[in-house]
Amino acid sequence: MSNLYIDTRGKAGEPVSFTTAVVNGLAEGGGLYVPQSIPQLSLDQICALAKLPYAQRAASIYKAFEVDLDDETVDDLMAQAYGRNFDDEEICPIASLGNGMHVLELWHGPTSAFKDMALQCLPLYFSASAQKLRDEGVIDNKFLILVATSGDTGKAALAGFADKPGVGIAVMFPDGGVSDIQRKQMVTQEGENVMVWAVRGNFDDCQTGAKAVFNDAEFNAKLAEEKQIALSSANSINWGRLLPQVVYYVSAYGKMVESGQIQAGDPIDVCVPTGNFGNILAAWYAKQMGTPIERLICASNDNRVLTDFINTGTYDISDREFVLTPSPSMDILVSSNLERQLFELTGRNAQAIDGWMRDLSADRKFRVDEETFAKIRADFASDSVNSADCLATVKRVFEEQNYLIDPHTAVAYEVAERLRGENPVLVASTAHWAKFGSSVYRALHGIAGSDPLPEDVQKLTGCELNRLIARETGVDNIPAGLADLDEKAVRFEQVIERETASIESSVEEFLASVNL
């Protein structure tokens, strides 16, 4: 019997299979899919997983969730997802920096960001799930994956879905709102089935626009009738993005026991730099499965909507300024995966979730009830780090530990140090430093974000700047995928408007030009 999936707003009708949840991405009515049941693992099982190669650990957890694919297929897909495409055989090794601080390096995949942990996996499962549904006569169409990105998801999704049969992928990123390296990674992407647009607006505009397109019934019907195309998502609203992230938290605990960093059964805290809430939610699900995680520490940047929510119970973006920071992948005000977390903490009260989401849409704010707020406070702690402190943390950690971190990891590291108790802390390191060379250079040289870089440095490309940082620090570990971006041809330069009509016309133009 396979585990089935229900939606957070209670509007999607009967529960669906894993394959349907992955292919649909977003539930009918705008809700998000969650599993009907969360499997339980014993401490012995969690520790035993550490003795397996990472791909087998991932396969074991997928099987525990009773996905409706046969075991041999699951094993094969995981072997493809987590192999030589990662530059470390551990896939996500853990660096121990002393004083109970441990860094989970989630950036060893082909695009040097934690999104690879899910997006080397999801496209494989999407293709397998779609084929299974075709074989069963459930569907008879191809797909367009429409993605809004704050920087890292876009490239990881493009890399994962490039040239996959029967699937196209189109990515929207905020014009001027990502790092130079992130932009180059996306606009140079190879593949016959890919498209990239810059959007005049911020990430929330991109995300809101994508959701509007998904929810436009008339447009979706037109795509289905004229193109035999259905829309789906690779953002973390897709459960197929979230489950691979659950894997690495369960896995990390077992590896910490195996290496002697902790004793079996000892609790740890997990600190995550958080924007869309998917990464930290995955740690919460790992905790529910039996992983001895005590506190979940949510680290925000200047866009501290989540910190304020966790500390007050009120989510309010009605009069909140959107701030561009050195950690652009966290520059988010509408945190989509919070909906899943609230669904779980309310005892799966779809009516409450639907009401709060309607309040957020209409009034740009909502407040949870006291019982739900108490449950939030029982599991979560949160603080925010301003841009100056973020850069100062990059510099301090390098000087003290000879360990170079990116600005997102710096936000989490600083918050972990502020809020930690007696437990060891596992800090999620979400990107390689070389993806944000300009900010890292500023940090190491004490140059404020509002001050110009030296003229000779301004003339350097992102790749050249990274090489300069490597020479100055002796930390010469620039991934190959980032080192050669200057040699790659720019394929995508179009800037579109954030309105739904502009996005939809761009989608139609792309589909008219490609043969999926």
Side-chain angles (χ1 to χ4, degrees):
M1 181 67 180
S2 299
N3 199 355
L4 296 178
Y5 288 78
I6 57 178
D7 87 287
T8 52
R9 302 186 193 182
K11 297 181 177 181
E14 293 297 313
V16 303
S17 65
F18 170 81
T19 51
T20 299
V22 168
V23 168
N24 287 353
L26 191 68
E28 185 178 350
L32 307 182
Y33 289 114
V34 298
Q36 274 191 327
S37 62
I38 301 171
Q40 300 298 298
L41 299 178
S42 69
L43 182 61
D44 286 344
Q45 287 175 311
I46 291 170
C47 293
L49 285 175
K51 302 183 185 302
L52 302 174
Y54 188 89
Q56 293 180 30
R57 284 176 242 160
S60 296
I61 292 174
Y62 267 59
K63 293 172 189 176
F65 273 90
E66 300 175 324
V67 299
D68 58 323
L69 294 168
D70 64 82
D71 288 355
E72 184 178 352
T73 297
V74 172
D75 290 338
D76 179 59
L77 294 179
M78 288 307 184
Q80 293 179 55
Y82 304 110
R84 293 182 179 179
N85 46 337
F86 284 75
D87 64 19
D88 191 298
E89 65 179 11
E90 286 291 325
I91 306 300
C92 49
I94 300 169
S96 293
L97 301 188
N99 197 29
M101 297 286 282
H102 307 273
V103 178
L104 179 61
E105 295 181 349
L106 297 171
W107 37 259
H108 287 275
T111 77
S112 305
F114 82 104
K115 305 299 175 72
D116 288 325
M117 297 298 298
L119 284 165
Q120 287 296 293
C121 182
L122 170 61
L124 299 172
Y125 275 87
F126 188 97
S127 296
S129 296
Q131 190 57 52
K132 182 176 187 295
L133 295 176
R134 289 190 190 100
D135 292 343
E136 295 171 350
V138 177
I139 63 172
D140 184 23
N141 56 263
K142 298 179 181 180
F143 292 91
L144 175 66
I145 309 296
L146 184 62
V147 177
T149 183
S150 56
D152 288 333
T153 290
K155 173 59 180 179
L158 289 163
F161 280 100
D163 290 327
K164 290 287 187 295
V167 183
I169 178 166
V171 169
M172 299 181 290
F173 70 90
D175 190 28
V178 300
S179 77
D180 179 61
I181 290 288
Q182 286 176 313
R183 183 189 64 80
K184 283 183 177 177
Q185 282 187 297
M186 288 185 280
V187 300
T188 60
Q189 175 65 47
E190 298 175 354
E192 296 301 316
N193 64 333
V194 304
M195 173 56 69
V196 179
W197 302 298
V199 175
R200 290 189 178 90
N202 57 42
F203 170 72
D204 286 334
D205 295 321
C206 297
Q207 182 167 247
T208 299
K211 287 182 177 178
V213 174
F214 281 119
N215 291 324
D216 185 339
E218 182 178 348
F219 180 71
N220 281 264
K222 181 180 179 182
L223 291 183
E225 181 180 350
E226 296 182 0
K227 299 287 187 181
Q228 291 74 54
I229 294 287
L231 295 178
S232 191
S233 172
N235 284 90
S236 55
I237 57 175
N238 192 318
W239 177 256
R241 266 282 305 275
L242 202 63
L243 186 52
Q245 295 177 276
V246 177
V247 171
Y248 56 68
Y249 287 114
V250 178
S251 168
Y253 186 89
K255 294 301 289 186
M256 291 176 74
V257 172
E258 182 184 55
S259 65
Q261 295 164 329
I262 56 174
Q263 298 297 310
D266 288 350
I268 64 170
D269 295 337
V270 172
C271 186
V272 185
T274 309
N276 222 10
F277 211 78
N279 200 355
I280 197 167
L281 174 61
W284 185 88
Y285 276 114
K287 177 179 179 178
Q288 306 317 301
M289 293 179 70
T291 308
I293 297 170
E294 190 165 288
R295 282 198 312 165
L296 297 159
I297 303 173
C298 173
S300 296
N301 61 17
D302 281 311
N303 295 290
R304 47 173 290 139
V305 61
L306 286 169
T307 292
D308 291 340
F309 173 71
I310 289 169
N311 290 332
T312 69
T314 297
Y315 195 101
D316 188 352
I317 57 173
S318 60
D319 190 29
R320 186 181 292 268
E321 180 185 3
F322 186 98
V323 183
L324 295 176
T325 74
S327 48
S329 296
M330 300 164 63
D331 291 347
I332 297 171
L333 295 182
V334 180
S335 300
S336 293
N337 269 292
L338 184 62
E339 179 172 339
R340 278 191 175 105
Q341 184 67 80
L342 293 175
F343 182 71
E344 300 288 6
L345 294 180
T346 58
R348 301 193 156 190
N349 185 338
Q351 185 176 0
I353 301 307
D354 187 47
W356 289 333
M357 294 303 104
R358 281 191 280 108
D359 289 345
L360 182 61
S361 178
D363 304 326
R364 307 286 285 169
K365 63 181 178 181
F366 66 89
R367 179 169 178 79
V368 300
D369 59 272
E370 290 303 317
E371 182 179 355
T372 302
F373 181 50
K375 290 180 179 179
I376 292 168
R377 296 297 299 166
D379 277 336
F380 292 90
S382 186
D383 200 358
S384 65
V385 176
N386 64 36
S387 295
D389 287 345
C390 167
L391 297 182
T393 302
V394 173
K395 181 179 177 67
R396 176 170 56 83
V397 171
F398 177 70
E399 291 177 344
E400 293 176 357
Q401 305 286 349
N402 194 36
Y403 187 76
L404 197 53
I405 58 178
D406 89 294
H408 304 78
T409 307
V411 168
Y413 195 95
E414 172 65 18
V415 170
E417 287 195 316
R418 291 180 193 172
L419 298 185
R420 64 170 304 182
E422 296 182 358
N423 294 339
V425 183
L426 183 68
V427 174
S429 180
T430 55
H432 191 279
W433 64 263
K435 295 199 76 167
F436 305 95
S438 178
S439 292
V440 170
Y441 185 89
R442 287 180 182 278
L444 296 174
H445 290 266
I447 302 172
S450 57
D451 294 338
L453 292 171
E455 287 189 14
D456 57 331
V457 175
Q458 291 182 39
K459 297 176 183 178
L460 300 178
T461 66
C463 296
E464 292 168 339
L465 180 56
N466 284 338
R467 289 194 287 270
L468 173 61
I469 293 169
R471 289 195 300 271
E472 290 182 346
T473 61
V475 182
D476 191 11
N477 65 343
I478 301 171
L482 302 182
D484 64 355
L485 284 175
D486 285 347
E487 282 71 57
K488 292 190 174 183
V490 173
R491 298 185 61 204
F492 306 105
E493 298 182 280
Q494 185 179 1
V495 181
I496 66 174
E497 304 300 328
R498 61 189 177 185
E499 285 76 21
T500 306
S502 175
I503 298 171
E504 290 180 347
S505 65
S506 298
V507 165
E508 290 183 301
E509 288 176 12
F510 168 53
L511 290 176
S513 68
V514 66
N515 183 26
L516 299 182

